[in-house]
Every structure is written in structure tokens, then in C-alpha cells.
Amino acid sequence: MRSAVNNPFNPGSDIVPAVWAGRTAQLSDWRDVLRPRLARGLPERGRTILGEPGLGKSALVRKIATEAAADGDWVTSQVRVPLGSDPLKLVADALLKLAHVAGLPARREKHLKDLLGRVESIAASGVSLALREGDGPDPHVMLTDLLIEIGRAAVKEEAVCLIHIDEVQNITDERALSQLLIALGDAITHRLIIAAPGDVRIEASLPIAVYLTGLPEFEDRAGAHKGATFARRFATTVLAAIDDDDLTLALQEFVTPGWVVADDRGGVASIRMTQEAVAALVDLCRGEPFLFQVAGQQAWYAADDALITADQVTAGWRVAQREAAAHVERILGRLPQRERDFLEAMAQLPPTDRTLTRIADLAGFPAAAGAGPTSQRLDTVRGIIGRGKPYSFRRRAVEAYLTSDWPTVT
């Protein structure tokens, strides 16, 4: 009854899993704030969603994009930026596809044909050649102009355009980063005059939503490069672990009425999960979206009957625990030594004694003030700790890895 074909859990980084958990604030932001405001011509900043590996950044925006497309909005494919690639080339190609959705190539205005031709040259040759040739506007001007034309078409069709650029930390060329941020920022802040009922003319923003997703270090580079301009044009969210209550809620369909799958006889069957199994799965994954999917996937494979038990969750986790350890080691391995030292010192202290002074002393910092910037970065940039009184781990898997035998189970 349970098989690889009907397994609803999927730990793939770019997949929207069938069993969705949490991120209600970000989903609500799209449904209740960003889209309604853009649809009415009201200004809104772009969204930058950052976080350490395994937090589901790409999957979150893909879920938003899927909902947008289902509602009739115009959505680019996920524009992934490989390390060393030309982001302007990738974005130009995505915008040309969006222009076809908007019907721009079918229009006969000469300025549109010229504009599309220039953007096609960027899609073919990239920003480096366009800048080197120097005959005409910079690439960011051409991309902005195309975005404005797409936005004008979207206004007429009462649609919202959603652009998703992923792995933005891989944009290492400062010129390309500057061109990209300016193009996107100028488009989302552009105002146009539209006719309203009663022969009234009003200013309105373009219905263009921009999502940038990537690792936390992108904000350092973008913020340093564009300063206050970037902050005014893009609102940044740093994702952390998912609350256990949200994970439990995501699994309630397995408890009752059961997760419906096709059976071997052409009908349907319900796969259920005991409350003890739900609790075990939630406890093991420690709020990590990636590990939640891994644990669910392996629990599904642990047997083939209609009921997932706590023993099956544990058995499946034994298969996955090496991957769980590697997941946390990837997070820790990305940290500079000062940040790693801070976390290890914090883990050695009892939870009630995790003050900045105690952690700094144990980590060998000369004074608590010297550890302040490190703790701030681990909190606001990486989302690994919370600087409350006392300090706490927001990434509970990191805490478990440093303070216990987790992810090993007996």
C-alpha cells in the first residue's frame, strides 16, 4: 500500500512537498499583503528570504509562485543562479518568456521591438559584453524598461507578475549585482499614470513582486553595495526552524481522516499515523524542514501497511540519521571560527546560564563586548540563536547535535 510512487514526503530542495509545514507568516504576507496591494496599484517592496541550508527557502517561494499561477498571475520559472554565472543573462531570458505571456512580441510598436531585441542580446551575451560594447543604455535600463512594459500589460489584464531569483549569494560580480538590484528596484518603485472612473488620473505602482532567495551572506553584500537603497526597496526575512506545533499540525491529516493514496486495485486507501508516531517524528526532526521531509519519507518506507507507528518512525530515522548529522555539520561547517567557538561554548552551558558574559568567557573572548557582534550575527543574520535572557538556540537541531547524542537513536 505504501510505496515510492505514493510517498508524499520529499526532501528535495526545490520541490514543494505535499506535506507542507509552517511558514504561515510568509504565505500570509503574499496572500494578504503583497498581492492585494500590488493588484490595487499600491507600492510594496520586494522580498528577500534568506537562511542557512535546509530551511526550505526555495520551496517556500515555489509554493507562493504555484498559488500565484493557479490564480492567473504571471510567474517566471525559478531563476537559479549557479556560481560564476551571469545573472543578467538568466534574468533577461526569464523576462523575455514573461514578455511572451504578456503578448508584447505580437505588438507592432517600434520601440517595443527595439527593446525586445536589446534584451535578447543580453540573454544571449550577458552583462559583461553589453557593458563592454557601450553602445546604448546599460543592461539595467533595458531590463527595467522591459519590466515596466510587462507591468503595464499586467495592469490591463488585472494580473500580478512574480519574479523569483534563487541562490542569489552566488552573484559574485559586483557590476552584475549592481545592475540586477537597480533594474529590479527601479521597476518595483516605478509609478505610472492610469485612468480611474470619473475621468480621474491617478498614480499607481506596477504589479510586480520580486522574491530573492539565498544564503544569509547575500544581505551583507547587497546591503554594503547599495546601502540604504537596498533596504528601502527590499524587505528581508531570515528563516529559522519551524515550531513543533506547526509540524504537528502538518501531520494531523495522517491522524484523521488519513492520507489518501491509490491502492493496488484501482481504488483509494487511507494511510494513518498514530499520535505517538507524530510526536516521535516531530521530536526527531527538531524543527528542520529538510529533516521533517527526510524523517517522513523514511517512516513511510519502513513498512507497507496502512498505519505508521512510532516504531516505524524510529526505524526509518535510523536509516536517515547519518544524513541528519551531515545536515547539521554543513550548517556548522559554513561558520567562521569565532561563530563556531561561540556556539560550542553556549552548548556547554546549562540553558539557564547562557548569558553573553558566561558564553564569552568560556569561548575565550577578551570581554563580553567583544562577543557582541558575533552573537548578533548568529541571531539576526544566521537565525541560529536567540539573544534573549538567557540566550537560546533557534536552530534546535544544532543545539541537539552539540549537547546530546542526537541524531543517534537506540
Side-chain angles (χ1 to χ4, degrees):
M1 194 174 296
R2 286 184 258 162
S3 70
V5 175
N6 58 26
N7 193 330
F9 295 93
N10 194 319
S13 60
D14 296 326
I15 302 298
V16 180
V19 185
W20 182 266
R23 305 303 183 214
T24 53
Q26 291 75 36
L27 294 172
S28 176
D29 176 61
W30 165 254
R31 296 165 181 163
D32 303 330
V33 178
L34 185 54
R35 193 196 183 283
R37 285 181 59 83
L38 291 175
R40 291 178 177 269
L42 299 172
E44 266 297 328
R45 290 184 289 173
R47 301 298 195 258
T48 305
I49 297 179
L50 307 176
E52 294 295 322
L55 288 172
K57 304 175 291 293
S58 301
L60 169 62
V61 179
R62 284 179 70 86
K63 182 173 177 63
I64 292 171
T66 299
E67 291 186 8
D71 290 336
D73 291 327
W74 301 348
V75 178
T76 66
S77 58
Q78 179 187 21
V79 182
R80 296 193 67 187
V81 182
L83 187 64
S85 64
D86 186 332
L88 268 290
K89 187 174 181 178
L90 300 172
V91 172
D93 183 66
L95 294 186
L96 287 170
K97 294 174 182 175
L98 205 59
H100 276 81
V101 175
L104 299 187
R107 289 166 51 180
R108 307 183 70 175
E109 295 97 322
K110 182 178 184 303
H111 80 279
L112 264 181
K113 293 187 179 299
D114 291 343
L115 176 59
L116 289 169
R118 288 182 176 274
V119 175
E120 285 171 357
S121 71
I122 298 174
S125 304
V127 64
S128 298
L129 180 60
L131 288 172
R132 191 163 60 246
E133 289 178 343
D135 56 343
D138 278 353
H140 80 267
V141 175
M142 292 181 275
L143 293 184
T144 300
D145 288 347
L146 181 55
L147 276 166
I148 290 171
E149 294 295 342
I150 293 170
R152 289 179 185 275
V155 170
K156 294 179 181 179
E157 296 296 325
E158 298 183 347
V160 172
C161 305
L162 190 153
I163 300 163
H164 176 202
I165 305 174
D166 193 22
E167 304 288 1
V168 288
Q169 78 283 349
N170 287 336
I171 305 174
T172 56
D173 186 312
E174 292 299 327
R175 296 180 307 167
L177 177 60
S178 175
Q179 293 274 329
L180 178 63
L181 293 180
I182 291 173
L184 297 173
D186 286 354
I188 61 181
T189 56
H190 183 80
R191 306 280 285 176
L192 57 106
I193 304 298
I194 61 174
D199 199 28
V200 176
R201 300 179 70 81
I202 61 173
E203 272 195 346
S205 294
L206 296 172
I208 296 176
V210 177
Y211 280 90
L212 308 177
T213 53
L215 298 176
E217 48 265 32
F218 172 76
E219 189 176 24
D220 289 340
R221 295 185 57 244
H225 192 72
K226 298 302 298 175
T229 302
F230 177 74
R232 287 196 302 268
R233 292 180 167 187
F234 290 86
T236 298
T237 296
V238 179
L239 296 184
I242 297 177
D243 290 341
D244 284 353
D245 287 346
D246 286 335
L247 296 174
T248 301
L249 180 61
L251 295 172
Q252 283 309 298
E253 188 171 349
F254 287 91
V255 177
T256 180
W259 190 271
V260 177
V261 299
D263 64 21
D264 299 332
R265 299 180 297 277
V268 296
S270 293
I271 306 300
R272 300 187 63 237
M273 188 178 293
T274 67
Q275 290 283 9
E276 293 78 12
V278 169
L281 198 155
V282 170
D283 178 65
L284 287 168
C285 70
R286 303 299 167 107
E288 296 290 310
F290 174 71
L291 297 184
F292 175 71
Q293 296 296 326
V294 169
Q297 183 185 67
Q298 295 304 326
W300 186 275
Y301 289 146
D304 61 2
D305 58 4
L307 183 66
I308 301 174
T309 66
D311 286 343
Q312 292 172 16
V313 170
T314 302
W317 185 257
R318 289 194 184 97
V319 176
Q321 62 189 20
R322 185 171 180 270
E323 189 170 14
H327 170 72
V328 178
E329 287 164 2
R330 280 194 296 271
I331 297 170
L332 295 173
R334 286 179 16 85
L335 302 179
Q337 192 60 49
R338 285 174 65 87
E339 294 178 20
R340 179 71 180 261
D341 291 343
F342 189 97
L343 290 180
E344 290 177 348
M346 185 172 161
Q348 292 178 45
L349 293 167
T352 55
D353 292 343
R354 291 171 179 166
T355 64
L356 181 59
T357 300
R358 294 291 306 278
I359 297 167
D361 181 63
L362 189 58
F365 288 89
T374 299
S375 67
Q376 181 180 21
R377 185 170 182 80
L378 286 167
D379 180 3
T380 60
V381 176
R382 300 197 184 278
I384 295 178
I385 69 169
R387 291 177 298 158
K389 295 184 178 180
Y391 279 29
S392 61
F393 282 91
R394 294 166 65 189
R395 298 294 292 272
R396 302 188 302 280
V398 173
E399 178 181 26
Y401 183 82
L402 294 175
T403 62
S404 71
D405 291 333
W406 183 95
T408 303
V409 293
T410 55

